[in-house]
Amino acid sequence: MKLDQATIARLAEYLETCELEARDTPKITDEYPDMDWDDAYAIQDSIRARKIARGTRIVGLKAGLTSFAKMKQMGVETPVFGFITDYGSIPDGGEVKVSELIHPKIEPEIAFVMKRALKGPGCHIGAVLAATDFVIPGMEVIDSRYRDFKFDLKSVIADNTSSARFVVGGLPQAVSEVDLRTVGIVMEKNGEPVAFGAGAAVLGHPAAAIAALANHLGARGEEIPAGALILSGGITEAVAVQAGDSVTLRVQGMGSVSIRFK
Amino acid sequence: MDKSLITRLGDELYDALVARQTLVPLTQRHPEITIEDAYQIQQQMIARRLAAGERVVGKKIGVTSKVVMDMLDVRQPDFGWLLDGMVYNEGQSIPADSLIQPRAEGEIAFLLKKDLTGPGVTASDVLAATEGVMACFEIVDSRIQDWKIRIQDTVADNASCGVLVLGDRMVDPRKVDLATCGMVLEKNGEIVGTGSGAAALGHPCNAMAWLANTLGRLGISLKAGDIVLSGSLAALIPVKAGDNLRVTIGGIGGCSVRFN
């Protein structure tokens, strides 16, 4: 840790205020270039604590920067992780108010719902599949609080990995019923197909992102709780959205899920 | 365009193919070439191959994604001819020096059990006429210098077709959602691309129907027994000797190929 508690608390308050007021900011590492990974997650934890104190429920977890291309571009070997909230949850077919966000983008994902707690280190794909209740199509609306999405890894971790809104829906599947590596997706914006991919775009297999999350939490003495909803990471590049857009994700053998922007 | 020029350009492309050499883009030398002219040049190139003893085994559809359409500034696909000399099967190796500047595309191949004659062919006609679908590689190659192609160049050059590799399994198209089936492309063990069926004109059957209807206007039918490559599902991957590629398509199967 390079930052003191007071600085961490101040940065958490600053970033959370940016989120709540839909205001962008230059990345925080401009001011604190020496901050380390532990500092970044400590700021994220402090944001989480502020929300819980205000009555927000944490409904799940998310992985970000899960594609090999993105990780190579950012110079890292593991994804980054964040949390998702009750107020971020949008019902299937529901509406996102664009005025509450800065510059939203949307990503297609496979969401996992766990039936058992999962604790690293040593967590592998097999353990993830055994602990999964079902998988279901999901989309995450990301909204970096950093100006023009210009950030480095530590800044994005502190900013709860750009988490903003999410939707899950469609046909839940047991993991034994679907090949999560080759499962295909088509994301359509206003009826036009705009993004295509397969599960393997996420670390070679979406369950590998869940294992990495369990191992990350394990190193901090924490675990993925039973019942957790986890967004395993974007299968394609995020697509920019604006008021008036509607987006539908179709997943092979798992139906579809939709969201609208107002 | 002058008939003798069409013949000459078709001959040039055929000679370049045989000699594994490239040409200055035709559109640079003859900016007046239309897409219709380009298809006639293609016919001449194919006529030379047939005269040399090859047989037609099917068709390929190209320029099926928005990205490639935008790159070539067109709003419709193109097509080329598949000949028996182009066909490889699952697990075979391809001599890299048999090609000029090869790139690999993961695609869904259709094997027809009935003729399809446009106009008026719909996506459901395509399904009804299909024996099965397979994962495949199309190894595209260009006889045009450094792939500096405009739409007329690639059409004239048999839609930049090189060779194709058919995969390990054939599946009834009624048993798979061809729009959402996912494709994973690996080169030397590394994932280099993913996509899904909808990347080809929204649905591979849309591309197939486009082809049947386009050929119908030219008085050509797709025949029972034809193989048709329905369009790339992700970005093209450059390949060279020593590369080992695999494509897997969810619910359909896989296809492997090596270059030596």
Side-chain angles (χ1 to χ4, degrees):
Chain A
M1 301 277 286
K2 299 280 172 40
L3 304 183
D4 58 39
Q5 282 308 312
T7 307
I8 285 168
R10 190 173 61 73
L11 288 171
E13 180 183 2
Y14 176 68
L15 282 174
E16 203 210 3
T17 305
C18 284
E19 179 214 327
L20 298 175
E21 295 180 358
R23 199 151 43 75
D24 68 3
T25 172
K27 63 181 193 291
I28 56 172
T29 46
D30 289 351
E31 200 180 340
Y32 297 96
D34 294 335
M35 66 179 270
D36 64 19
W37 290 68
D38 289 336
D39 292 323
Y41 277 110
I43 295 167
Q44 185 193 110
D45 288 346
S46 178
I47 292 174
R48 179 204 287 237
R50 292 174 61 84
K51 291 189 186 300
I52 291 170
R54 214 181 297 115
T56 296
R57 283 176 185 265
I58 307 306
V59 297
L61 300 161
K62 60 159 286 190
L65 304 181
T66 47
S67 81
F68 290 119
K70 198 87 183 175
M71 286 181 353
K72 202 179 279 179
Q73 184 195 326
M74 302 292 282
V76 286
E77 279 166 13
T78 56
V80 297
F81 305 101
F83 61 87
I84 55 179
T85 63
D86 54 358
Y87 70 86
S89 175
I90 306 295
D92 188 359
E95 219 167 60
V96 173
K97 289 195 185 71
V98 170
S99 61
E100 295 174 355
L101 303 173
I102 303 162
H103 41 199
K105 295 184 182 181
I106 191 162
E107 301 180 332
E109 309 207 2
I110 305 290
F112 285 65
V113 174
M114 310 311 291
K115 62 184 170 194
R116 288 205 293 274
L118 204 53
K119 187 163 188 178
C123 187
H124 49 73
I125 288 181
V128 172
L129 296 178
T132 301
D133 192 353
F134 56 87
V135 287
I136 186 168
M139 290 188 282
E140 186 183 17
V141 179
I142 56 168
D143 190 40
S144 174
R145 267 55 70 170
Y146 298 116
R147 196 156 298 156
D148 304 323
F149 272 83
K150 287 206 177 88
F151 51 67
D152 54 18
L153 222 49
K154 289 164 193 163
S155 295
V156 78
I157 289 167
D159 184 32
N160 192 22
T161 63
S162 308
S163 176
R165 303 287 184 268
F166 68 93
V167 58
V168 297
L171 180 64
Q173 283 282 6
V175 288
S176 57
E177 299 302 309
V178 52
D179 177 355
L180 287 170
R181 200 179 82 89
T182 60
V183 70
I185 66 96
V186 187
M187 193 164 74
E188 297 169 350
K189 183 166 108 174
N190 305 324
E192 184 185 354
V194 290
F196 316 95
V202 174
L203 292 182
H205 192 297
I210 310 299
L213 170 60
N215 291 330
H216 162 79
L217 292 176
R220 300 156 46 104
E222 298 167 25
E223 63 179 20
I224 298 174
L229 169 68
I230 309 166
L231 305 176
S232 62
I235 291 174
T236 70
E237 289 279 300
V239 172
V241 286
Q242 54 187 18
D245 286 340
S246 69
V247 180
T248 297
L249 171 66
R250 296 155 67 191
V251 181
Q252 184 176 17
M254 295 167 68
S256 65
V257 58
S258 300
I259 195 168
R260 290 172 295 133
F261 293 86
K262 191 186 171 188
Chain B
M1 197 170 190
D2 184 62
K3 206 74 199 144
S4 65
L5 182 55
I6 282 171
T7 306
R8 184 154 62 74
L9 293 175
D11 288 345
E12 273 187 40
L13 282 164
Y14 175 76
D15 294 340
L17 173 90
V18 172
R20 282 157 214 137
Q21 285 169 350
T22 56
L23 303 175
V24 172
L26 310 188
T27 48
Q28 235 173 66
R29 292 181 282 153
H30 303 283
E32 74 280 11
I33 297 179
T34 64
I35 293 180
E36 290 69 32
D37 295 331
Y39 276 112
Q40 291 193 42
I41 298 168
Q42 179 193 96
Q43 286 286 354
Q44 174 63 18
M45 185 195 192
I46 295 300
R48 291 289 306 273
R49 293 186 71 163
L50 297 178
E54 288 189 79
R55 289 181 49 237
V56 175
V57 297
K59 301 279 185 300
K60 69 150 284 187
I61 311 171
V63 197
T64 48
S65 73
K66 189 166 185 304
V67 179
V68 176
M69 282 186 191
D70 287 348
M71 200 172 77
L72 294 172
D73 195 24
V74 288
R75 294 273 69 86
Q76 59 166 4
D78 68 3
F79 72 87
W81 299 71
L82 301 181
L83 307 175
D84 58 350
M86 299 174 178
V87 182
Y88 289 81
N89 292 305
E90 159 71 19
Q92 276 188 308
S93 56
I94 298 174
D97 62 9
S98 68
L99 298 162
I100 304 167
Q101 37 190 350
R103 298 175 180 180
E105 298 180 337
E107 305 196 12
I108 297 170
F110 285 67
L111 177 69
L112 296 181
K113 63 181 175 192
K114 291 187 200 146
D115 294 0
L116 271 175
T117 306
V121 170
T122 63
S124 64
D125 295 328
V126 172
L127 287 173
T130 300
E131 174 73 33
V133 290
M134 303 174 82
C136 78
F137 277 111
E138 181 184 357
I139 311 301
V140 293
D141 197 12
S142 182
R143 272 61 64 175
I144 304 294
Q145 226 167 54
D146 303 325
W147 277 99
K148 293 224 162 60
I149 52 170
R150 296 184 60 196
I151 184 70
Q152 295 92 330
D153 295 300
T154 180
V155 166
D157 188 22
N158 195 29
S160 306
C161 193
V163 297
L164 65 131
V165 190
L166 292 171
D168 56 12
R169 222 178 302 177
M170 181 178 291
V171 171
D172 185 334
R174 292 165 182 80
K175 301 250 164 75
V176 55
D177 179 348
L178 290 173
T180 59
C181 60
M183 183 203 68
V184 183
L185 196 53
E186 290 159 281
K187 178 164 124 175
N188 305 325
E190 192 181 342
I191 294 169
V192 289
T194 77
S196 62
L201 280 195
H203 193 298
C205 285
N206 294 348
M208 294 290 293
W210 172 86
L211 177 64
N213 291 325
T214 301
L215 291 174
R217 282 193 287 279
L218 304 170
I220 304 170
S221 292
L222 290 171
K223 297 290 184 197
D226 275 0
I227 287 282
V228 185
L229 309 187
S230 58
S232 181
L233 302 184
L236 282 65
I237 307 298
V239 289
K240 59 179 191 323
D243 285 341
N244 194 346
L245 280 84
R246 179 151 183 88
V247 61
T248 324
I249 301 184
I252 298 182
C255 180
S256 299
V257 64
R258 283 169 293 130
F259 290 83
N260 60 21

PDB file of all heavy atoms in Angstrom, chain A residues 97-119:
ATOM      1  N   LYS A  97     -31.809   4.920 -17.804  1.00  0.00           N
ATOM      2  CA  LYS A  97     -31.849   6.372 -18.026  1.00  0.00           C
ATOM      3  C   LYS A  97     -30.435   6.853 -18.356  1.00  0.00           C
ATOM      4  O   LYS A  97     -29.557   6.853 -17.504  1.00  0.00           O
ATOM      5  CB  LYS A  97     -32.369   7.076 -16.785  1.00  0.00           C
ATOM      6  CG  LYS A  97     -33.855   6.846 -16.539  1.00  0.00           C
ATOM      7  CD  LYS A  97     -34.379   7.867 -15.506  1.00  0.00           C
ATOM      8  CE  LYS A  97     -35.824   7.579 -15.162  1.00  0.00           C
ATOM      9  NZ  LYS A  97     -35.960   6.332 -14.355  1.00  0.00           N
ATOM     10  N   VAL A  98     -30.260   7.273 -19.584  1.00  0.00           N
ATOM     11  CA  VAL A  98     -28.937   7.696 -20.045  1.00  0.00           C
ATOM     12  C   VAL A  98     -28.471   8.940 -19.284  1.00  0.00           C
ATOM     13  O   VAL A  98     -27.275   9.131 -19.054  1.00  0.00           O
ATOM     14  CB  VAL A  98     -28.977   7.950 -21.575  1.00  0.00           C
ATOM     15  CG1 VAL A  98     -27.711   8.617 -22.056  1.00  0.00           C
ATOM     16  CG2 VAL A  98     -29.198   6.631 -22.315  1.00  0.00           C
ATOM     17  N   SER A  99     -29.436   9.753 -18.819  1.00  0.00           N
ATOM     18  CA  SER A  99     -29.070  10.985 -18.096  1.00  0.00           C
ATOM     19  C   SER A  99     -28.360  10.675 -16.779  1.00  0.00           C
ATOM     20  O   SER A  99     -27.693  11.531 -16.218  1.00  0.00           O
ATOM     21  CB  SER A  99     -30.324  11.821 -17.829  1.00  0.00           C
ATOM     22  OG  SER A  99     -31.231  11.076 -17.029  1.00  0.00           O
ATOM     23  N   GLU A 100     -28.511   9.436 -16.277  1.00  0.00           N
ATOM     24  CA  GLU A 100     -27.834   9.056 -15.028  1.00  0.00           C
ATOM     25  C   GLU A 100     -26.406   8.557 -15.272  1.00  0.00           C
ATOM     26  O   GLU A 100     -25.712   8.190 -14.330  1.00  0.00           O
ATOM     27  CB  GLU A 100     -28.628   7.953 -14.313  1.00  0.00           C
ATOM     28  CG  GLU A 100     -30.004   8.413 -13.852  1.00  0.00           C
ATOM     29  CD  GLU A 100     -30.838   7.266 -13.267  1.00  0.00           C
ATOM     30  OE1 GLU A 100     -30.389   6.103 -13.314  1.00  0.00           O
ATOM     31  OE2 GLU A 100     -31.932   7.550 -12.774  1.00  0.00           O
ATOM     32  N   LEU A 101     -26.028   8.499 -16.539  1.00  0.00           N
ATOM     33  CA  LEU A 101     -24.713   7.940 -16.881  1.00  0.00           C
ATOM     34  C   LEU A 101     -23.900   8.971 -17.664  1.00  0.00           C
ATOM     35  O   LEU A 101     -24.429   9.991 -18.110  1.00  0.00           O
ATOM     36  CB  LEU A 101     -24.890   6.655 -17.699  1.00  0.00           C
ATOM     37  CG  LEU A 101     -25.725   5.561 -17.010  1.00  0.00           C
ATOM     38  CD1 LEU A 101     -25.991   4.406 -17.966  1.00  0.00           C
ATOM     39  CD2 LEU A 101     -25.038   5.051 -15.751  1.00  0.00           C
ATOM     40  N   ILE A 102     -22.611   8.667 -17.845  1.00  0.00           N
ATOM     41  CA  ILE A 102     -21.713   9.627 -18.496  1.00  0.00           C
ATOM     42  C   ILE A 102     -21.604   9.351 -20.002  1.00  0.00           C
ATOM     43  O   ILE A 102     -21.952  10.180 -20.828  1.00  0.00           O
ATOM     44  CB  ILE A 102     -20.317   9.595 -17.835  1.00  0.00           C
ATOM     45  CG1 ILE A 102     -20.440   9.895 -16.329  1.00  0.00           C
ATOM     46  CG2 ILE A 102     -19.366  10.587 -18.515  1.00  0.00           C
ATOM     47  CD1 ILE A 102     -19.234   9.488 -15.505  1.00  0.00           C
ATOM     48  N   HIS A 103     -21.125   8.147 -20.328  1.00  0.00           N
ATOM     49  CA  HIS A 103     -20.936   7.769 -21.744  1.00  0.00           C
ATOM     50  C   HIS A 103     -21.054   6.245 -21.847  1.00  0.00           C
ATOM     51  O   HIS A 103     -20.065   5.561 -22.070  1.00  0.00           O
ATOM     52  CB  HIS A 103     -19.590   8.269 -22.290  1.00  0.00           C
ATOM     53  CG  HIS A 103     -18.450   8.101 -21.312  1.00  0.00           C
ATOM     54  ND1 HIS A 103     -17.277   8.783 -21.404  1.00  0.00           N
ATOM     55  CD2 HIS A 103     -18.315   7.293 -20.222  1.00  0.00           C
ATOM     56  CE1 HIS A 103     -16.478   8.431 -20.410  1.00  0.00           C
ATOM     57  NE2 HIS A 103     -17.089   7.517 -19.687  1.00  0.00           N
ATOM     58  N   PRO A 104     -22.275   5.735 -21.638  1.00  0.00           N
ATOM     59  CA  PRO A 104     -22.455   4.287 -21.495  1.00  0.00           C
ATOM     60  C   PRO A 104     -22.075   3.487 -22.743  1.00  0.00           C
ATOM     61  O   PRO A 104     -22.247   3.952 -23.873  1.00  0.00           O
ATOM     62  CB  PRO A 104     -23.954   4.149 -21.216  1.00  0.00           C
ATOM     63  CG  PRO A 104     -24.575   5.394 -21.763  1.00  0.00           C
ATOM     64  CD  PRO A 104     -23.548   6.468 -21.564  1.00  0.00           C
ATOM     65  N   LYS A 105     -21.546   2.281 -22.483  1.00  0.00           N
ATOM     66  CA  LYS A 105     -21.313   1.293 -23.533  1.00  0.00           C
ATOM     67  C   LYS A 105     -21.877  -0.025 -23.022  1.00  0.00           C
ATOM     68  O   LYS A 105     -22.031  -0.216 -21.812  1.00  0.00           O
ATOM     69  CB  LYS A 105     -19.812   1.117 -23.783  1.00  0.00           C
ATOM     70  CG  LYS A 105     -19.110   2.344 -24.333  1.00  0.00           C
ATOM     71  CD  LYS A 105     -17.641   2.007 -24.620  1.00  0.00           C
ATOM     72  CE  LYS A 105     -16.896   3.226 -25.117  1.00  0.00           C
ATOM     73  NZ  LYS A 105     -15.480   2.888 -25.416  1.00  0.00           N
ATOM     74  N   ILE A 106     -22.154  -0.926 -23.941  1.00  0.00           N
ATOM     75  CA  ILE A 106     -22.767  -2.194 -23.539  1.00  0.00           C
ATOM     76  C   ILE A 106     -21.952  -3.365 -24.068  1.00  0.00           C
ATOM     77  O   ILE A 106     -21.392  -3.290 -25.160  1.00  0.00           O
ATOM     78  CB  ILE A 106     -24.251  -2.236 -23.988  1.00  0.00           C
ATOM     79  CG1 ILE A 106     -24.983  -3.409 -23.350  1.00  0.00           C
ATOM     80  CG2 ILE A 106     -24.386  -2.241 -25.502  1.00  0.00           C
ATOM     81  CD1 ILE A 106     -26.497  -3.259 -23.388  1.00  0.00           C
ATOM     82  N   GLU A 107     -21.889  -4.431 -23.261  1.00  0.00           N
ATOM     83  CA  GLU A 107     -21.107  -5.619 -23.620  1.00  0.00           C
ATOM     84  C   GLU A 107     -21.944  -6.883 -23.447  1.00  0.00           C
ATOM     85  O   GLU A 107     -22.677  -6.998 -22.470  1.00  0.00           O
ATOM     86  CB  GLU A 107     -19.919  -5.792 -22.659  1.00  0.00           C
ATOM     87  CG  GLU A 107     -18.955  -4.673 -22.597  1.00  0.00           C
ATOM     88  CD  GLU A 107     -17.827  -4.945 -21.616  1.00  0.00           C
ATOM     89  OE1 GLU A 107     -18.015  -5.697 -20.637  1.00  0.00           O
ATOM     90  OE2 GLU A 107     -16.747  -4.389 -21.834  1.00  0.00           O
ATOM     91  N   PRO A 108     -21.810  -7.843 -24.365  1.00  0.00           N
ATOM     92  CA  PRO A 108     -22.482  -9.132 -24.211  1.00  0.00           C
ATOM     93  C   PRO A 108     -21.676 -10.066 -23.310  1.00  0.00           C
ATOM     94  O   PRO A 108     -20.457 -10.134 -23.430  1.00  0.00           O
ATOM     95  CB  PRO A 108     -22.506  -9.678 -25.643  1.00  0.00           C
ATOM     96  CG  PRO A 108     -21.301  -9.081 -26.301  1.00  0.00           C
ATOM     97  CD  PRO A 108     -21.046  -7.755 -25.636  1.00  0.00           C
ATOM     98  N   GLU A 109     -22.367 -10.767 -22.427  1.00  0.00           N
ATOM     99  CA  GLU A 109     -21.664 -11.626 -21.460  1.00  0.00           C
ATOM    100  C   GLU A 109     -22.464 -12.889 -21.171  1.00  0.00           C
ATOM    101  O   GLU A 109     -23.655 -12.966 -21.448  1.00  0.00           O
ATOM    102  CB  GLU A 109     -21.471 -10.877 -20.128  1.00  0.00           C
ATOM    103  CG  GLU A 109     -20.858  -9.499 -20.300  1.00  0.00           C
ATOM    104  CD  GLU A 109     -20.091  -9.029 -19.082  1.00  0.00           C
ATOM    105  OE1 GLU A 109     -19.995  -9.787 -18.098  1.00  0.00           O
ATOM    106  OE2 GLU A 109     -19.579  -7.892 -19.137  1.00  0.00           O
ATOM    107  N   ILE A 110     -21.772 -13.853 -20.585  1.00  0.00           N
ATOM    108  CA  ILE A 110     -22.434 -15.002 -19.981  1.00  0.00           C
ATOM    109  C   ILE A 110     -22.398 -14.770 -18.474  1.00  0.00           C
ATOM    110  O   ILE A 110     -21.324 -14.563 -17.913  1.00  0.00           O
ATOM    111  CB  ILE A 110     -21.693 -16.325 -20.304  1.00  0.00           C
ATOM    112  CG1 ILE A 110     -21.520 -16.510 -21.812  1.00  0.00           C
ATOM    113  CG2 ILE A 110     -22.414 -17.509 -19.658  1.00  0.00           C
ATOM    114  CD1 ILE A 110     -22.783 -16.789 -22.570  1.00  0.00           C
ATOM    115  N   ALA A 111     -23.580 -14.779 -17.819  1.00  0.00           N
ATOM    116  CA  ALA A 111     -23.625 -14.598 -16.369  1.00  0.00           C
ATOM    117  C   ALA A 111     -23.726 -15.969 -15.687  1.00  0.00           C
ATOM    118  O   ALA A 111     -24.391 -16.871 -16.197  1.00  0.00           O
ATOM    119  CB  ALA A 111     -24.813 -13.729 -15.986  1.00  0.00           C
ATOM    120  N   PHE A 112     -23.045 -16.096 -14.559  1.00  0.00           N
ATOM    121  CA  PHE A 112     -23.075 -17.329 -13.761  1.00  0.00           C
ATOM    122  C   PHE A 112     -23.845 -17.051 -12.478  1.00  0.00           C
ATOM    123  O   PHE A 112     -23.672 -16.002 -11.865  1.00  0.00           O
ATOM    124  CB  PHE A 112     -21.655 -17.757 -13.369  1.00  0.00           C
ATOM    125  CG  PHE A 112     -20.854 -18.374 -14.490  1.00  0.00           C
ATOM    126  CD1 PHE A 112     -20.488 -17.631 -15.608  1.00  0.00           C
ATOM    127  CD2 PHE A 112     -20.450 -19.707 -14.410  1.00  0.00           C
ATOM    128  CE1 PHE A 112     -19.742 -18.194 -16.630  1.00  0.00           C
ATOM    129  CE2 PHE A 112     -19.704 -20.279 -15.433  1.00  0.00           C
ATOM    130  CZ  PHE A 112     -19.352 -19.537 -16.544  1.00  0.00           C
ATOM    131  N   VAL A 113     -24.672 -18.005 -12.061  1.00  0.00           N
ATOM    132  CA  VAL A 113     -25.277 -17.955 -10.738  1.00  0.00           C
ATOM    133  C   VAL A 113     -24.767 -19.170  -9.975  1.00  0.00           C
ATOM    134  O   VAL A 113     -24.865 -20.305 -10.462  1.00  0.00           O
ATOM    135  CB  VAL A 113     -26.817 -17.941 -10.822  1.00  0.00           C
ATOM    136  CG1 VAL A 113     -27.420 -18.048  -9.427  1.00  0.00           C
ATOM    137  CG2 VAL A 113     -27.291 -16.660 -11.513  1.00  0.00           C
ATOM    138  N   MET A 114     -24.166 -18.926  -8.795  1.00  0.00           N
ATOM    139  CA  MET A 114     -23.501 -19.996  -8.064  1.00  0.00           C
ATOM    140  C   MET A 114     -24.461 -20.663  -7.078  1.00  0.00           C
ATOM    141  O   MET A 114     -25.280 -19.993  -6.450  1.00  0.00           O
ATOM    142  CB  MET A 114     -22.281 -19.438  -7.305  1.00  0.00           C
ATOM    143  CG  MET A 114     -21.341 -18.583  -8.157  1.00  0.00           C
ATOM    144  SD  MET A 114     -20.873 -19.341  -9.728  1.00  0.00           S
ATOM    145  CE  MET A 114     -19.843 -20.683  -9.119  1.00  0.00           C
ATOM    146  N   LYS A 115     -24.352 -21.992  -6.951  1.00  0.00           N
ATOM    147  CA  LYS A 115     -25.179 -22.667  -5.945  1.00  0.00           C
ATOM    148  C   LYS A 115     -24.372 -22.924  -4.675  1.00  0.00           C
ATOM    149  O   LYS A 115     -24.937 -23.189  -3.626  1.00  0.00           O
ATOM    150  CB  LYS A 115     -25.766 -23.960  -6.501  1.00  0.00           C
ATOM    151  CG  LYS A 115     -24.763 -25.013  -6.905  1.00  0.00           C
ATOM    152  CD  LYS A 115     -25.464 -26.217  -7.550  1.00  0.00           C
ATOM    153  CE  LYS A 115     -24.433 -27.152  -8.175  1.00  0.00           C
ATOM    154  NZ  LYS A 115     -25.056 -28.137  -9.070  1.00  0.00           N
ATOM    155  N   ARG A 116     -23.050 -22.866  -4.804  1.00  0.00           N
ATOM    156  CA  ARG A 116     -22.192 -23.071  -3.632  1.00  0.00           C
ATOM    157  C   ARG A 116     -21.135 -21.985  -3.603  1.00  0.00           C
ATOM    158  O   ARG A 116     -20.778 -21.431  -4.645  1.00  0.00           O
ATOM    159  CB  ARG A 116     -21.484 -24.426  -3.733  1.00  0.00           C
ATOM    160  CG  ARG A 116     -22.400 -25.609  -3.516  1.00  0.00           C
ATOM    161  CD  ARG A 116     -21.611 -26.809  -3.024  1.00  0.00           C
ATOM    162  NE  ARG A 116     -20.689 -27.334  -4.034  1.00  0.00           N
ATOM    163  CZ  ARG A 116     -21.046 -28.214  -4.971  1.00  0.00           C
ATOM    164  NH1 ARG A 116     -22.298 -28.649  -5.042  1.00  0.00           N
ATOM    165  NH2 ARG A 116     -20.159 -28.648  -5.825  1.00  0.00           N
ATOM    166  N   ALA A 117     -20.648 -21.709  -2.407  1.00  0.00           N
ATOM    167  CA  ALA A 117     -19.536 -20.753  -2.273  1.00  0.00           C
ATOM    168  C   ALA A 117     -18.306 -21.334  -2.946  1.00  0.00           C
ATOM    169  O   ALA A 117     -18.157 -22.563  -3.058  1.00  0.00           O
ATOM    170  CB  ALA A 117     -19.267 -20.486  -0.798  1.00  0.00           C
ATOM    171  N   LEU A 118     -17.455 -20.448  -3.410  1.00  0.00           N
ATOM    172  CA  LEU A 118     -16.250 -20.877  -4.130  1.00  0.00           C
ATOM    173  C   LEU A 118     -15.093 -20.072  -3.562  1.00  0.00           C
ATOM    174  O   LEU A 118     -15.127 -18.845  -3.536  1.00  0.00           O
ATOM    175  CB  LEU A 118     -16.447 -20.573  -5.605  1.00  0.00           C
ATOM    176  CG  LEU A 118     -15.669 -21.359  -6.649  1.00  0.00           C
ATOM    177  CD1 LEU A 118     -15.845 -22.862  -6.454  1.00  0.00           C
ATOM    178  CD2 LEU A 118     -16.141 -20.948  -8.038  1.00  0.00           C
ATOM    179  N   LYS A 119     -14.061 -20.799  -3.107  1.00  0.00           N
ATOM    180  CA  LYS A 119     -12.949 -20.096  -2.475  1.00  0.00           C
ATOM    181  C   LYS A 119     -11.621 -20.531  -3.066  1.00  0.00           C
ATOM    182  O   LYS A 119     -11.338 -21.718  -3.153  1.00  0.00           O
ATOM    183  CB  LYS A 119     -12.972 -20.363  -0.965  1.00  0.00           C
ATOM    184  CG  LYS A 119     -11.950 -19.520  -0.225  1.00  0.00           C
ATOM    185  CD  LYS A 119     -12.233 -19.450   1.253  1.00  0.00           C
ATOM    186  CE  LYS A 119     -11.273 -18.434   1.888  1.00  0.00           C
ATOM    187  NZ  LYS A 119     -11.501 -18.249   3.301  1.00  0.00           N
TER     188      LYS A 119
END
